[in-house]
Amino acid sequence: MLIGGTEMEAAPLHVPVMLREVIAYLRPKPGGIYVDATVGAGGHARAILEQIGPAGLLIGLDRDPEALQAAWEALAPYREQLLLIRENFVRAGQVLDRLGIPAVDGFLFDLGVSSPQLDRPERGFSYWHDAPLDMRMDPRQPVSAYHLVNGLSEEELAHVLFAYGQERWAQRIARCIVRERERRPIETTGQLAAIVKAAIPAAARRSGPHPARRTFQALRIAVNDELGAVQKAVEMAVARTRAGGRICFLSFHSLEDRAVKEGFRRLAGTCTCPPGLPACACGVKAAIRVLTPRPVLPGKGEVAANPRARSARLRAAERLGVELRVITGGRSE
């Protein structure tokens, strides 16, 4: 079943990152109910569907209609055990409520921008192509990268670039953006990439990745509220997973990985009291057992075959029997 889509011929899958490791930690069981909260083109979803069998159910979410269409085509042999729904993963709790499913056996979150999104110049995610400055994962969103670049103050722009891109030249780049947009609006990725390149000192551009990489990353995170969504998703997923079920997060950015790590740490019952207190006062009960004290990294062979996997970090946890309040759409009830 596809909500908001049509049937077409099957399309080839993209290469899913750390597929073997994801399935090993998620541990899908026959007949289980799982949520692939960022289904993308369906690479991880296919492996989950193969494991859960015809008696199982996979609910695939994505806010990108093109990704949902690609998944529907690619996963054609499994449509009887598949639901694809256009929705932001942070609202997975509300989706489960609409479906009458109180809890599932596991969640998978593959965070960040997908390869198909990067490879479509018109989506405005890439600094390698000159295209409209967009970066919205869901085209229905009212605010795009164009609005941020042309509407934020110099101080606000510098904050976004430093906080979300860890860009050391954030202030210089913001100043150059504001100066340039006073002459004409910044409408394309090519314009923005050229401005960033000119703002960064030549010595700092001679080595390392493309000089605009951190700026584009920061704007994408801000446009799509990616970090706020991750923080809400951790708690929602734990609350909606049955005891013994698994929650897996695959991230590609240190800030995303840190948000998952801190969320897992808190829900694992790790004491957060300041040092020096005579007794623990936080009263936290462990809701999960963290399966990955350190993030799992891709192997050298996978990175060589798929360079986009080089920054991947996998964290996983197992749900314990402690009851939590159900989280719906990021809000507790």
Side-chain angles (χ1 to χ4, degrees):
M1 176 182 179
L2 172 68
I3 297 179
T6 57
E7 294 195 16
M8 297 176 62
E9 294 298 318
L13 291 173
H14 74 298
V15 179
V17 173
M18 296 180 69
L19 178 60
R20 182 178 61 183
E21 294 88 345
V22 165
I23 296 303
Y25 278 100
L26 187 62
R27 201 172 61 183
K29 61 183 181 181
I33 302 175
Y34 291 84
V35 176
D36 185 338
T38 47
V39 72
H44 292 105
R46 175 180 287 267
I48 296 171
L49 287 161
E50 290 173 350
Q51 295 289 319
I52 65 178
L57 173 65
L58 178 67
I59 303 163
L61 308 182
D62 210 294
R63 50 182 160 173
D64 185 340
E66 294 180 4
L68 283 177
Q69 186 62 43
W72 185 244
E73 296 165 11
L75 301 172
Y78 305 94
R79 288 177 182 173
E80 294 300 316
Q81 61 199 89
L82 175 66
L83 286 173
L84 293 180
I85 301 173
R86 185 179 181 184
E87 188 59 273
N88 188 329
F89 64 73
V90 79
R91 296 173 64 83
Q94 290 188 356
V95 171
L96 293 176
D97 286 342
R98 293 200 301 266
L99 296 173
I101 300 174
V104 300
D105 296 293
F107 279 87
L108 170 62
F109 297 83
D110 184 355
L111 303 174
V113 65
S114 69
S115 294
Q117 289 169 332
L118 286 172
D119 294 337
R120 294 286 297 274
E122 66 271 21
R123 300 300 299 273
F125 285 102
S126 177
Y127 39 76
W128 295 112
H129 309 282
D130 191 23
L133 193 56
D134 194 325
M135 302 191 192
R136 292 173 296 174
M137 292 183 181
D138 184 345
R140 298 175 298 186
Q141 291 175 217
V143 176
S144 69
Y146 170 86
H147 296 100
L148 298 188
V149 167
N150 290 281
L152 294 181
S153 67
E154 179 178 325
E155 182 180 354
E156 290 169 332
L157 273 171
H159 171 74
V160 166
L161 300 187
F162 183 77
Y164 298 151
Q166 300 171 305
E167 173 57 72
R168 63 178 295 199
W169 305 105
Q171 195 65 56
R172 289 176 60 128
I173 294 169
R175 189 178 306 120
C176 288
I177 287 173
V178 171
R179 186 184 304 134
E180 181 62 26
R181 78 189 189 194
E182 289 174 352
R183 298 173 53 224
R184 57 170 179 162
I186 301 169
E187 299 179 332
T188 71
T189 54
Q191 283 178 271
L192 180 60
I195 293 167
V196 174
K197 184 177 180 180
I200 297 176
R205 303 196 308 259
R206 293 195 183 108
S207 62
H210 192 288
R213 181 177 68 89
R214 293 182 183 275
T215 293
F216 274 62
Q217 170 187 282
L219 290 170
R220 189 203 80 218
I221 289 173
V223 166
N224 297 287
D225 187 28
E226 293 177 32
L227 295 181
V230 170
Q231 293 165 355
K232 295 173 184 176
V234 172
E235 186 168 352
M236 179 279 302
V238 171
R240 300 304 292 252
T241 300
R242 295 189 181 100
R246 301 285 183 90
I247 304 106
C248 294
F249 279 85
L250 192 61
S251 61
F252 295 81
H253 182 271
S254 61
L255 295 178
E256 291 173 338
D257 181 61
R258 184 185 306 163
V260 176
K261 175 185 176 181
E262 291 175 353
F264 276 0
R265 180 176 180 269
R266 181 172 55 82
L267 291 167
T270 304
C271 179
T272 57
C273 294
L277 290 182
C280 174
C282 58
V284 175
K285 293 183 179 179
I288 59 172
R289 177 171 65 94
V290 176
L291 304 173
T292 52
R294 296 176 181 271
V296 180
L297 310 181
K300 293 181 180 179
E302 179 172 6
V303 173
N306 181 13
R308 285 178 178 169
R310 66 183 179 275
S311 58
R313 302 290 184 270
L314 173 64
R315 292 187 185 270
E318 180 176 271
R319 183 70 160 91
L320 301 178
V322 174
E323 183 178 354
L324 290 180
R325 289 183 300 170
V326 173
I327 304 299
T328 304
R331 295 176 299 174
S332 60
E333 296 184 341

